[in-house]
Amino acid sequence: MHLIFDLDGTLIDSSAGIVDSLKFATYEVLGTKINSNLLRIGPPIKTMIEEIFPDLPSNKVDEIIKVFRDYYDNEGWKSFSVYPDVKSVLELLKNNNYLYIATNKPEIPTIQILKEINILHLFDKVLCYQIEKFSNKSEMVSNIVLNKNETYLMIGDSLDDCSAASDNNIDFVYCDYGFGHLSLIKERVHCKINQFNDLIKIKGAINVRKY
């Protein structure tokens, strides 16, 4: 089986680093403190900024992104926590499966984080947001789903992850502990997990909670 994982809200809780970095960037560029309760963690940073400041000129959005990226890539990425059992479950799943990452996080912090928690070597391919290569997560997943005769699962917590699975005609496993909202995507969820080690049940095709 081929298992495609999102990163933020699926393997790690990166909200603290992202929020702190975005607060720093918006204050540097706009002199404005943002309300962190308005932030939707998961989409590309450009989308997050535009959701908070829908009328902000594109040049200001670009300035915030640059400051955010400089700060996050050097300091902000360090503020994250790993969800329970992630490393041990991935090691177990690796025995009989191919593992992949498809994330909206750029390559530099993604690789740093995967190395920090010593799981980079477990993945057969790590695909990150790069506008010149992948404009969205669906394109990343399509780069992985190459053999239509094999089984693929997309594991994530957001509408973006769900859409990527749907666009590529593969099943979606929803991580209920992450940043997403099940009510927005319930009809499209193949099954739900309440904690990361529930994936072991999916691996064995037993006790999978259907929706």
Side-chain angles (χ1 to χ4, degrees):
M1 186 180 289
H2 299 260
L3 305 178
I4 307 169
F5 294 89
D6 171 49
L7 181 58
D8 301 282
T10 300
L11 302 182
I12 65 168
D13 181 350
S14 54
S15 56
I18 292 173
V19 170
D20 288 348
S21 299
L22 193 51
K23 282 182 175 180
F24 175 84
T26 53
Y27 190 77
E28 283 289 302
V29 176
L30 303 176
T32 301
K33 293 183 178 180
I34 60 171
N35 181 354
S36 58
N37 293 326
L38 299 177
L39 288 175
R40 182 166 64 95
I41 307 296
I45 188 64
K46 184 175 187 291
T47 301
M48 293 174 62
I49 295 168
E50 290 172 342
E51 287 179 348
I52 303 170
F53 303 107
D55 300 320
L56 194 66
S58 59
N59 66 311
K60 289 296 181 182
V61 172
D62 291 341
E63 283 184 49
I64 294 173
I65 292 172
K66 184 180 185 304
V67 176
F68 171 90
R69 187 57 54 213
D70 288 344
Y71 185 85
Y72 186 80
D73 288 357
N74 287 283
E75 294 295 331
W77 72 269
K78 299 173 185 177
S79 297
F80 73 91
S81 59
V82 187
Y83 289 117
D85 301 320
V86 163
K87 188 172 187 289
S88 60
V89 170
L90 288 175
E91 288 173 338
L92 180 60
L93 292 172
K94 181 65 176 175
N95 290 332
N96 296 298
N97 302 278
Y98 297 98
L99 308 184
Y100 311 89
I101 291 279
T103 176
N104 286 322
K105 192 184 292 295
E107 184 175 12
I108 291 175
T110 295
I111 299 302
Q112 288 173 320
I113 288 169
L114 295 177
K115 285 182 177 179
E116 178 75 13
I117 55 182
N118 194 27
I119 60 172
L120 177 62
H121 63 285
L122 298 175
F123 294 98
D124 296 274
K125 186 180 289 188
V126 176
L127 298 183
C128 306
Y129 179 77
Q130 299 179 58
I131 190 61
E132 65 276 8
K133 288 186 177 181
F134 308 110
S135 61
N136 55 55
K137 190 166 290 189
S138 293
E139 292 181 4
M140 297 180 210
V141 173
S142 67
N143 190 268
I144 296 170
V145 181
L146 301 176
N147 189 339
K148 303 300 182 181
N149 295 320
E150 298 192 19
T151 302
Y152 295 82
L153 285 178
M154 178 74 209
I155 299 116
D157 69 304
S158 70
L159 176 61
D160 196 35
D161 300 321
C162 185
S163 296
S166 179
D167 290 345
N168 287 279
N169 297 309
I170 64 174
D171 287 332
F172 175 60
V173 177
Y174 175 71
C175 300
D176 193 41
Y177 55 82
F179 303 136
H181 300 282
L182 180 61
S183 59
L184 299 177
I185 56 178
K186 188 170 183 178
E187 277 80 29
R188 300 159 65 184
V189 173
H190 175 66
C191 62
K192 181 183 80 168
I193 59 173
N194 298 308
Q195 54 192 8
F196 193 75
N197 62 20
D198 286 344
L199 282 174
I200 297 171
K201 299 175 185 178
I202 296 174
K203 177 195 173 192
I206 57 173
N207 300 325
V208 177
R209 187 172 299 172
K210 296 286 185 178
Y211 270 77

